[in-house]
Every structure is written in structure tokens, then in C-alpha cells.
Amino acid sequence: METDDQDTNDDYYLELSCDPIKFESISSLTNVFFDDSKQQVFAVRSGGVTGVSVKGPNLNINFRMEDKGAVISIKFSPDMNILAIQRSNSSVEFVNYSPVVGLDNIEYSQPCKGKNASILGFVWTHGNEILLVTDYGVELFQVNPEKRTVRVLKCLSLGVNWFVFCPQSYLVLLSSGTAGNQMQALHVTPGNLHKLTKFEMETGSTKPGKLAVSERDVALAVLYGTPCIILLRHQPGANRSTGSASVYVYTVHKMTTIRRSHILKLDVSGRFAINVVDNLIIVHHQASKTSMIFDIMLPGVSDGTVMHHTSVAAAKPMKPYSLKVPGATLSNETYQPCQLYSPNWVVFQPNIIIDAKLGCLWFVELKLEALVKLITDKVLLVEFLMQRTNGKHILIKVLKNFMILLPISLMDMPTIFDKLNCVYRNHLESEIQNQMGTPLQNNIKNQSTITEDYKYKLSLDQSDMYSYILSKFSENTIEPKMIVWVLLEYIRSLAEHEIPVQHYLHELIITTLVERKAYYQLHQLLQYHVVVDSKPLACLLLSLENLYPAAHQLALDMLKRVGNAHEEIIEVLLSKGYILAALRYVRSVGMVDQMSARKFLEAAKATEDATLFHSVYKFFEQRNLRLHNTTAFTKGEHCQPYVQHFKYLFQGTDNGCNSDTNSNVTTISS
């Protein structure tokens, strides 16, 4: 296993993968080829006679083949059952392959169709289909390994200078014309080729006999789900060592039209190479041995047609890297520093760097933790992290740090919450659409449709915000009034995006206000319904009565506003011993006939107030008389113990009544 240098500097935001794919380095006897579609390195020794080694992610195979001439290109089909070998400019040979048997001994070939055409290269596309690109056009074939036959599917005639293929989008870009800036893009689908609109790439003046756009200055990528053409453009009229360069990004819309949409400002000149990591464009600059990082999803400066961007952070070198060098014994192993930005480096898409002399293939990786320190704009940093595939835990950590920095980050929090909740709302709408199959009505200001780019943004929902951030406040790090402000600001943002606020956020506000004895503010929040009424919140208010006596009445008022909380209100009144008030409430909401007499009689008996018990008992006797034409309780009500208790208290009185109790019964039942 390779290891990186023990450098403690954490300002490096790019690094090479710690375990490179090791292969036999290039030499007088060994040629090295790379298939960027399958990310496989072929080391061909002596034309294959002494062996071919194929290495890639989770792949390591070896085989021999006959020497029929120097190999120009070699690639496996997508399912690894056919090996294509180009040994001349006019044809491609095929050999069947299986993991058990290895290479078949029988080769079959396909010459290019165009007379006098020269093959510039080939790529496997869908299944066993292969695309040959010649200087006269493109030819799509289907290979049948069982019959060892090849048949033509589609041909297009066009003068071609060079081509670039993107295995993610199946887009082929062809350079044509004598100047070399005429571009024809093709979309390869199973069995067919589709032309996109032709376009010209903007270039400066070029030397006679040289193409205006060279193959090494063009890369194809998929950024945020959209196919893109990336062009390194050097300063017009300047050579590569003077002036400054920029990167043009052409966006492919619905595989039909292509337009220049972004310009990335480099502010340096010289030799460059491009990688794409996690939807970010990485521009390596060889002269300064640094790399720049660009995110086209972040806001830039528009000139009306094109968006101009600068690097997300200052240009930085990659993290130093060391290769393990074997010694005579295991204990003698040492680590040798690896030259970064070496002239021997060859860069492939999306994030591959190969050093054929060292025999290493690396993947360029992003170090988000370092970028957190280098992006000073808080809103920009949050937007950037929201667009990273594995950035959720870092985004949460950043937001927690922002809370500690309050009130320094006070001005940015509303904007940050709005950006988080805009994406949160889009994810909610998308989930509902998927479940219902129909669009959800959206009345949010300035947002009439679900934006497509939300799919590439992290969503922090209320549960995330509560569990990891809002509930983790400590008064040692943030003032209580700031805690309340943050909570209210987050709830404000949720409300503006029409996202129902979960009760635990309101609970957090209430408990925070009570802890800091901000009762007047609490009363105002409840009075003006900033905190939404709910049963859980009412129960919370009841539990706070010892700290804030008025919370009891606030809870009852809230339960009444909820509208379907009759049982809860009655239980609260009974638990507090307000039995007559509970009976009056039962009567006011028309629930007398459904109410359990046993519950009220039990509560009245517990008070040990004989007069109160008498009043409650007589209230239900009158109800029984009205419902059943008798004062007796039914067996199902289980009130016999209370009938006995009544007899015990009032045996021998005139029907158990006096003027005081009569007045009480009248008050309840009137």
C-alpha cells in the first residue's frame, strides 16, 4: 500500500489516491496503452508475445498473443468478451476472450469502409458495438463474437482532424475544417448516430499549418448531469508562455444544441491539464505546479450570455506524495518522494493521472476539510458544500461552527437558511410527485417550478438541523438570546418556503425561553401564533407550570384552539382538581352523553370534598334519568364503588340534598 507524505500542512485541497494502480512502466520492450472508458492500463511486452498485463480498478489479468506487428491501440469490449487490437491505420482486429480459456486463437478483422481512409482511433460504445473514427468520417459496427463477424450499422462522412469521446454521455466531438475550429458533436445510441448542431469554437490567431484547436486542449465531461465540452483557450495572439489563459465551457442542451455558457478565468499562462472531480473542474498548471478549482454551479458574473467564474479558492499544489520503494528485506522499505506535475504525467477524464515511466495510475481526490478553511465567504462555502457528493457531515460541522461565531455570522444566517430550505423544499416536492405521480401546487415567491439542479445539492431537513445543530447549543458558547434568534430565523425560513414546522423546533424555543426566564417573549410568541398550536406543545406548556404558572392557562387555550383536543383538556382539568370546570367544559362541547361518569366520580372522591362529590354524583344521576329514565348507573360504567361511597356519606339525609349542594348541581347542569 502506498502512503502519502507525512506533511502536516492541511491547506492542500487535492491529493492523489493513496493506492495507485501499479503497472509495468514503459520501456524499449514494453508499450503502455490506456482505455479511459474502462479505466484499464495495458502493458504490452514485445508485441504481446511475452505477455500482456491488464490492470484497472479491481482488475488484474495476464495473457499472451501472437506478434502480428506493433500495437497502435488495444481495448476490451464493455463485457470483456472481445479484445479489439489496432495494428494498422486501415483495420481493427478482434479476438474473443474468456476468463477461463483466455484469448481465442482465431482473429477476425474489420477494415474501415472509406477508401484511402486512415483510422484515427476507436471506442467501444453500447454492448458489442464499436465506433471507428477515420479522417473521412465515423463508422459504427456491431461485432458478433459467436459467429466472429462484424456488420456495419451506420456511417457518416466528414473530414476529421481529431476526436474526443465521453463514455459517461456517449458524446463524440469531431474537429473538422482546415482551420480546425469547426466542431461536430455526435450522440451515440445503440445502433445509431445522432448529429448535434455544428458550432465553431472561439480561438485566437494561430500559426500557419497549425490547427486552431488541438485535441489536448479539449475535454468532455458531465457536470451536474449535463454533458459539457471544456476548452482550454490561450490568450489570442500570444504563445503559451505569455499572456493569460481561460477555460471555455460549452453546455450540451438535450443532446441537440451546444452553446458557450461559462468562462473560467485562469490569470496565468503556460501548459495546463484538466480533470473533473465531483462536478468540479480542476485546472492543473505545470509551470507553477499548482491547481485551481472551479464550480460552475456557484454564482458568477454574467455578461448577458456567458457566466464568468474565478477559482473557488487560491491556487494550491497537490498534497506531497511518496511511493513505497522495496528494499532487500521488508524492514528496509523506504518512501521516495514523487515528482508532482511531472512532464511525464498524462491526464485523462474524469480524474485520472498516469505516469507511464513510474508505472502508476492515480485518481485525483478532493479534500473538503482544507477548502473549508480557504473559502472565507460563509454563504459561498455553504453553497459549495451543498453541491459536494459526500459533504453532508462537513456541512453540518461548518454550520455548527457558524453558530459558535455568532453574532459575527449574524448577517449571513438568514441567507444560509433560505438556501438550505430552498433545496429542502425541492426535495419534499419531488418526493410527493414521485408518490402521487402529479405535480404539487407551488406558491413560493420567486419559485414557480422545481429546479433541476437541486438533485445535485445536499438536503438538510428539520430533523438534521435539530439533531446535529439547533439542539446542540451550549450557553457556554452562545448567548441564550442568540439561540432564540437562530431558532426563530430558521422557522421563518421554513414558513417562507411553505414547509410545515415540526413540533420539536417549537418545543426547543419554548424550553429555551423558559430557561432564560423570558416569559414575556414566550407569551408574545404564543399570543401572535409564531409558535404553531399543537397537542405536544400544549403538554410541554403544562409541564412548565412550576416554572411559569401562566403556562397552564396558555396550554388550555392552545388545546382549545387545536379543536380536537377535548379529551386532553378534560384530563388536564381533572388532574389539577378543577372538576366542576371540567364538567362545565364537557357540557359546553356537547359531550355529556359520551363522558365516563367513573372518571369524574373518581377525581371528586380523591379531593375528599363531600359537597363536591355530591354535586358530581347528582349531575350524572340527572344525565342517567334523561338517557335511561332511571337515576341508576349501568353495569358497564363500573360505578358501584362510588354509589356505595355516596350512600356512606349521605345515608339518612333528605335524599342527600341541602341548599348548598342544590346550588352546585344547578350551576353545573344549567
Side-chain angles (χ1 to χ4, degrees):
M1 179 176 175
E2 309 302 328
T3 182
D4 39 18
D5 195 279
Q6 300 299 314
D7 198 305
T8 57
N9 190 335
D10 55 2
D11 278 350
Y12 305 109
Y13 51 72
L14 291 174
E15 63 182 349
L16 299 175
S17 52
C18 62
D19 285 320
I21 295 172
K22 299 293 293 291
F23 56 90
E24 189 174 337
S25 59
I26 193 168
S27 68
S28 58
L29 296 177
T30 303
N31 285 328
V32 176
F33 304 91
F34 181 63
D35 176 9
D36 52 354
S37 293
K38 293 180 69 65
Q39 299 182 348
Q40 293 174 349
V41 181
F42 291 75
V44 182
R45 295 184 296 274
S46 305
V49 175
T50 57
V52 177
S53 171
V54 187
K55 297 200 175 180
N58 306 313
L59 177 74
N60 185 2
I61 59 175
N62 296 278
F63 56 85
R64 295 174 183 269
M65 61 186 189
E66 294 182 37
D67 186 359
K68 296 184 177 181
V71 175
I72 299 173
S73 182
I74 182 169
K75 297 176 184 178
F76 270 115
S77 61
D79 59 4
M80 298 286 292
N81 66 350
I82 309 169
L83 180 65
I85 310 159
Q86 182 189 354
R87 295 190 177 96
S88 73
N89 292 328
S90 58
S91 68
V92 175
E93 282 71 51
F94 302 99
V95 189
N96 294 346
Y97 175 85
S98 72
V100 178
V101 178
L103 276 189
D104 194 344
N105 292 323
I106 304 172
E107 286 191 4
Y108 48 107
S109 67
Q110 176 60 53
C112 55
K113 292 291 183 182
K115 290 183 179 180
N116 302 318
S118 180
I119 297 175
L120 301 177
F122 66 88
V123 290
W124 289 98
T125 57
H126 302 274
N128 288 341
E129 294 180 9
I130 191 168
L131 184 74
L132 269 59
V133 182
T134 73
D135 53 358
Y136 280 16
V138 293
E139 304 167 5
L140 185 65
F141 298 94
Q142 185 175 56
V143 184
N144 187 327
E146 289 80 16
K147 296 181 180 179
R148 296 187 178 87
T149 58
V150 184
R151 70 182 181 93
V152 66
L153 297 174
K154 191 85 172 180
C155 291
L156 289 175
S157 296
L158 178 73
V160 180
N161 300 310
W162 51 260
F163 78 99
V164 185
F165 175 67
C166 178
Q168 289 80 33
S169 62
Y170 293 98
L171 197 71
V172 181
L173 185 68
L174 306 169
S175 163
S176 65
T178 54
N181 66 334
Q182 295 283 338
M183 298 294 158
Q184 174 66 67
L186 302 176
H187 183 216
V188 186
T189 58
N192 211 345
L193 301 171
H194 305 273
K195 280 187 176 182
L196 280 68
T197 306
K198 276 187 178 181
F199 70 102
E200 283 189 12
M201 282 188 169
E202 296 84 349
T203 59
S205 59
T206 55
K207 295 179 181 179
K210 283 194 69 176
L211 294 176
V213 180
S214 64
E215 179 184 351
R216 69 178 183 182
D217 288 337
V218 176
L220 298 187
V222 177
L223 300 174
Y224 296 106
T226 302
C228 293
I229 301 165
I230 303 172
L231 168 67
L232 266 169
R233 186 176 182 274
H234 300 275
Q235 184 73 19
N239 60 42
R240 290 172 185 259
S241 61
T242 62
S244 62
S246 55
V247 172
Y248 285 2
V249 179
Y250 297 81
T251 306
V252 182
H253 294 273
K254 299 180 179 179
M255 285 300 181
T256 55
T257 59
I258 300 172
R259 68 175 181 86
R260 186 165 56 116
S261 54
H262 302 273
I263 295 178
L264 316 180
K265 192 177 179 183
L266 302 182
D267 287 331
V268 287
S269 62
R271 293 176 64 88
F272 300 92
I274 289 175
N275 277 134
V276 173
V277 181
D278 197 11
N279 293 310
L280 297 168
I281 297 175
I282 311 296
V283 182
H284 307 293
H285 185 225
Q286 190 179 48
S288 64
K289 299 188 184 302
T290 60
S291 301
M292 289 167 274
I293 186 168
F294 295 87
D295 188 348
I296 63 169
M297 191 73 86
L298 290 179
V301 178
S302 175
D303 62 8
T305 55
V306 178
M307 196 67 71
H308 295 255
H309 301 265
T310 55
S311 181
V312 172
K316 292 277 184 180
M318 289 188 189
K319 186 174 182 179
Y321 191 91
S322 294
L323 278 173
K324 184 186 290 184
V325 180
T329 62
L330 191 65
S331 60
N332 289 335
E333 287 182 340
T334 59
Y335 289 92
Q336 178 181 337
C338 179
Q339 182 186 358
L340 301 181
Y341 304 92
S342 164
N344 300 322
W345 277 14
V346 184
V347 174
F348 293 93
Q349 300 311 313
N351 63 331
I352 293 168
I353 291 176
I354 292 179
D355 191 320
K357 284 194 174 181
L358 281 179
C360 289
L361 180 153
W362 295 279
F363 295 94
V364 179
E365 297 176 351
L366 193 65
K367 293 185 66 186
L368 282 179
E369 295 87 348
L371 280 164
V372 167
K373 300 177 182 179
L374 298 173
I375 302 175
T376 55
D377 186 312
K378 294 179 177 59
V379 176
L380 198 69
L381 175 58
V382 169
E383 280 192 273
F384 178 82
L385 292 175
M386 286 174 69
Q387 285 149 203
R388 305 286 68 82
T389 305
N390 299 313
K392 188 169 183 175
H393 72 286
I394 297 178
L395 175 58
I396 289 171
K397 184 178 178 180
V398 163
L399 290 171
K400 288 173 73 172
N401 288 337
F402 284 175
M403 300 307 168
I404 295 172
L405 292 173
L406 286 171
I408 297 172
S409 55
L410 193 65
M411 300 299 294
D412 296 320
M413 294 315 299
T415 306
I416 289 171
F417 286 152
D418 285 343
K419 289 188 179 296
L420 292 172
N421 288 328
C422 180
V423 176
Y424 179 22
R425 167 73 186 202
N426 275 321
H427 277 272
L428 289 175
E429 287 209 358
S430 180
E431 287 177 9
I432 294 173
Q433 286 187 12
N434 291 337
Q435 292 169 6
M436 300 177 63
T438 55
L440 181 70
Q441 199 67 26
N442 190 338
N443 298 317
I444 302 176
K445 297 176 184 177
N446 304 323
Q447 186 183 346
S448 56
T449 57
I450 297 179
T451 55
E452 282 299 313
D453 59 9
Y454 85 92
K455 296 177 183 177
Y456 304 97
K457 294 178 185 284
L458 295 173
S459 176
L460 286 189
D461 58 23
Q462 295 176 70
S463 175
D464 293 325
M465 290 294 292
Y466 175 83
S467 302
Y468 301 116
I469 301 168
L470 301 176
S471 64
K472 302 298 182 183
F473 286 135
S474 168
E475 291 193 14
N476 297 326
T477 56
I478 178 173
E479 293 182 27
K481 65 179 180 180
M482 284 288 105
I483 298 175
V484 175
W485 180 87
V486 170
L487 291 169
L488 289 176
E489 193 54 49
Y490 182 65
I491 288 172
R492 185 275 312 162
S493 180
L494 289 172
E496 284 197 5
H497 289 83
E498 297 184 353
I499 302 172
V501 182
Q502 295 297 321
H503 68 86
Y504 45 74
L505 290 176
H506 288 140
E507 288 180 4
L508 191 56
I509 288 183
I510 290 173
T511 53
T512 303
L513 288 171
V514 170
E515 285 171 4
R516 62 185 293 259
K517 297 182 172 56
Y519 302 126
Y520 176 73
Q521 193 174 356
L522 172 61
H523 216 103
Q524 280 189 314
L525 292 180
L526 295 169
Q527 183 178 353
Y528 293 106
H529 306 296
V530 176
V531 176
V532 179
D533 297 335
S534 70
K535 290 181 183 179
L537 283 183
C539 293
L540 174 64
L541 286 169
L542 287 170
S543 69
L544 297 172
E545 184 183 359
N546 291 337
L547 295 171
Y548 180 42
H552 174 78
Q553 189 58 48
L554 289 171
L556 287 178
D557 293 342
M558 183 178 287
L559 287 170
K560 194 165 185 179
R561 288 193 299 270
V562 169
N564 60 345
H566 303 312
E567 292 283 350
E568 287 84 354
I569 292 174
I570 293 165
E571 290 291 344
V572 169
L573 291 171
L574 290 178
S575 67
K576 302 298 293 183
Y578 302 148
I579 299 165
L580 296 184
L583 285 174
R584 292 190 190 97
Y585 183 79
V586 167
R587 184 201 61 203
S588 69
V589 296
M591 294 176 62
V592 174
D593 296 350
Q594 297 83 35
M595 195 51 57
S596 166
R598 183 173 178 270
K599 181 187 297 185
F600 284 84
L601 291 170
E602 182 179 2
K605 181 183 176 184
T607 64
E608 299 182 354
D609 185 336
T611 303
L612 177 62
F613 184 81
H614 182 278
S615 298
V616 174
Y617 190 90
K618 286 298 179 180
F619 176 87
F620 283 104
E621 272 195 340
Q622 290 178 21
R623 184 197 70 169
N624 295 342
L625 188 63
R626 177 169 53 80
L627 292 177
H628 311 299
N629 292 323
T630 175
T631 59
F633 293 94
T634 62
K635 286 185 178 180
E637 291 188 275
H638 306 290
C639 290
Q640 190 58 32
Y642 307 106
V643 173
Q644 296 297 326
H645 185 65
F646 182 84
K647 289 179 180 179
Y648 169 76
L649 291 176
F650 303 107
Q651 193 71 42
T653 63
D654 182 17
N655 203 21
C657 297
N658 56 42
S659 58
D660 290 336
T661 56
N662 274 331
S663 66
N664 281 332
V665 172
T666 303
T667 303
I668 298 169
S669 60
S670 60

